[in-house]
Amino acid sequence: MYTSEELIIEELRSAGINPVLSLPCEKIKNLLSLIEKNFLHIPLTREEEGIGISAGAALAGKRPALFVQSSGMGNMLNALMSLTKTYELPLALFVSWRGVYNEKIPAQIPMGRSLQGILNGCGIEYRIIEKKDDLKHMRHKLSEAYEKNRITAFLMSPEIWDGVLHKEKEQRIKRQKVAGIGVKAVKPVNRLLIRYQRFDFIKTIASMLKDEIVVSNLGIPSKELFFIRHRPLNFYMLGSMGMATPLGLGISLFTERRVIVIDGDGSILMNPASLGTVAFFNPENLIIVAIDNGAYGSTGNQPTLTSRFINLEAIARAFGFKHTVKVYSKALLRRILNKKYPGSLFIHAVTLPGNKEVPDIPFPPSEIKEYFSNAISPDEAPL
């Protein structure tokens, strides 16, 4: 006789789910243990990071599924709406539905009881899973999500796990020693060496592109890239601040192409732990170009903390990046991009603040997704 956890694993396999992303919840610890053994599992540092990685995986032709706690839905709601829903990308959400059944933690109750209303308000279809019989509808709904490019949530009540004996094994996380950390000193930012603006560095990157995939940060950086060199393999972020690097990671895990993420200091500071997830997987085809102009360029050039004391290269190193470099010149940026590294590369590109007057991107999100997806080779194209 199969347990509820085993039945869910079977449904995920039948639907061709890959990868599976998660943050832990005590109520589904046995399910998560099985997921780690049966799928490419991506552990997350924050729920909204999973939205970015899932979006990248979907664009690379995969069927991602995300396991979170109901409280975590509140953390990722904006990214879910401004990225997944805006670009009409498929995603199956498996929510450990706390606060509705024998809940002993008061803090879990408000979000748990409000979750159905929130999903209804956001136009997200959901199914409630309270008993084994409810699982028989899962396969059809899973297939629908990916065939029709929609978000579907499965609210898993703790009731489904009651009355079942589980064989629990202690899961020990092996701490990995990251070579190179602490060996090379990270130099502070030298403001006297800054000569160029973000536009100049994006122009340098664009001039070198062949068949690389580019994910561009939201706002003016995307508009500058579009103006300099629009191409089908450019993915322009229109919202979802902090999601460019996670999205680039999600793509890089499922393609052999080189993936270049043009990110910014403000966006990285909003979601810095995503650098740790990149360092954990360390794909050698991924380059993060962190353009640090010390300002929130798209909202009026208000200063960020990098303009005062935060060193983005040091943050990347602290999160486990083995390969980092700080650049001030177009020539050095060009030389670095021409090299190959045995792992992910973090380029801290320090620039002056300032924006070029460029027009808006004339395409809606659905068209950006369509031409980008069509530009990816057939074995990488979304289903």
Side-chain angles (χ1 to χ4, degrees):
M1 181 178 180
Y2 289 104
T3 66
S4 297
E5 290 94 339
E6 289 169 335
L7 289 173
I8 290 174
I9 294 297
E10 186 57 36
E11 293 299 330
L12 295 176
R13 280 178 177 162
S14 298
I17 298 298
N18 184 39
V20 178
L21 307 91
S22 76
L23 273 161
C25 175
E26 187 271 336
K27 299 296 183 183
I28 59 170
K29 59 186 177 184
N30 299 295
L31 176 57
L32 294 179
S33 176
L34 289 175
I35 283 172
E36 291 175 7
K37 298 173 184 176
N38 288 277
F39 300 93
L40 171 59
H41 175 241
I42 300 178
L44 302 171
T45 58
R46 185 173 170 83
E47 291 84 359
E48 63 181 0
E49 174 191 30
I51 297 300
I53 298 174
S54 295
L59 288 166
K62 301 301 177 182
R63 294 184 165 195
L66 179 55
F67 283 72
V68 297
Q69 203 177 97
S70 48
S71 57
M73 288 291 295
N75 293 339
M76 68 185 194
L77 199 57
N78 176 65
L80 186 65
M81 299 300 289
S82 61
L83 181 55
T84 313
K85 195 172 183 68
T86 296
Y87 286 93
E88 299 178 6
L89 296 169
L91 180 62
L93 290 171
F94 290 84
V95 184
S96 180
W97 194 17
R98 305 292 299 272
V100 294
Y101 176 80
N102 287 344
E103 184 58 65
K104 297 180 181 179
I105 301 177
Q108 295 281 6
I109 294 173
M111 179 59 75
R113 291 184 177 175
S114 303
L115 187 54
Q116 289 176 273
I118 291 171
L119 292 173
N120 285 328
C122 292
I124 296 174
E125 184 178 357
Y126 64 89
R127 301 284 299 191
I128 294 175
I129 308 296
E130 295 177 308
K131 52 187 180 298
K132 274 190 180 181
D133 284 348
D134 295 329
L135 295 174
K136 63 186 179 183
H137 304 293
M138 183 179 292
R139 185 173 304 183
H140 173 69
K141 287 299 178 184
L142 275 175
S143 298
E144 236 183 24
Y146 299 103
E147 290 166 3
K148 297 184 178 181
N149 290 322
R150 64 172 58 157
I151 303 166
T152 300
F154 299 92
L155 307 186
M156 303 181 295
S157 168
E159 186 176 2
I160 194 175
W161 320 122
D162 276 6
V164 181
L165 295 176
H166 304 290
K167 295 180 180 179
E168 297 184 18
K169 295 183 179 179
E170 183 180 352
Q171 300 294 316
R172 295 183 179 180
I173 300 175
K174 297 180 180 179
R175 295 186 178 182
Q176 298 180 344
K177 294 182 179 179
V178 182
I181 302 303
V183 176
K184 174 186 171 185
V186 177
K187 294 181 179 180
V189 174
N190 187 341
R191 297 286 164 189
L192 297 177
L193 297 178
I194 305 175
R195 292 180 292 165
Y196 298 101
Q197 290 187 329
R198 179 187 57 234
F199 186 87
D200 301 305
F201 279 1
I202 292 179
K203 192 171 183 180
T204 298
I205 295 169
S207 69
M208 300 177 66
L209 295 175
K210 296 177 183 177
D211 63 347
E212 295 89 350
I213 292 170
V214 177
V215 176
S216 181
N217 195 25
L218 81 165
I220 294 178
S222 277
K223 292 197 288 186
E224 288 180 345
L225 176 63
F226 179 86
F227 177 80
I228 292 167
R229 188 181 175 189
H230 171 57
R231 52 198 283 277
L233 285 169
N234 292 350
F235 188 84
Y236 306 108
M237 302 285 291
L238 301 180
S240 313
M241 188 171 177
M243 291 294 102
T245 287
L247 192 146
L249 172 61
I251 295 173
S252 70
L253 293 174
F254 302 104
T255 181
E256 294 183 358
R257 294 177 188 265
R258 211 177 194 192
V259 180
I260 300 173
V261 176
I262 300 174
D263 215 332
D265 49 319
S267 292
I268 289 175
L269 291 176
M270 179 171 280
N271 190 22
S274 62
L275 297 177
T277 308
V278 173
F280 177 79
F281 285 96
N282 198 30
E284 63 181 17
N285 62 332
L286 180 61
I287 299 174
I288 309 298
V289 183
I291 298 183
D292 178 9
N293 59 10
Y296 294 102
S298 295
T299 60
N301 286 320
Q302 300 87 352
T304 69
L305 292 180
T306 65
S307 67
R308 301 176 184 179
F309 64 94
I310 290 181
N311 188 328
L312 289 183
E313 185 186 7
I315 289 177
R317 293 287 298 284
F319 271 114
F321 268 81
K322 301 173 185 177
H323 309 289
T324 67
V325 63
K326 197 182 307 293
V327 302
Y328 299 93
S329 70
K330 295 185 290 184
L332 179 56
L333 177 60
R334 185 179 293 276
R335 288 201 300 272
I336 294 298
L337 288 174
N338 274 327
K339 293 182 179 180
K340 288 189 177 180
Y341 292 82
S344 299
L345 172 65
F346 184 90
I347 301 176
H348 184 194
V350 190
T351 72
L352 296 166
N355 308 312
K356 285 291 184 182
E357 290 291 333
V358 293
D360 291 337
I361 297 172
F363 303 127
S366 57
E367 287 189 29
I368 293 174
K369 181 192 75 170
E370 184 177 359
Y371 73 63
F372 179 81
S373 300
N374 290 337
I376 298 176
S377 60
D379 60 327
E380 298 164 359
L383 298 173

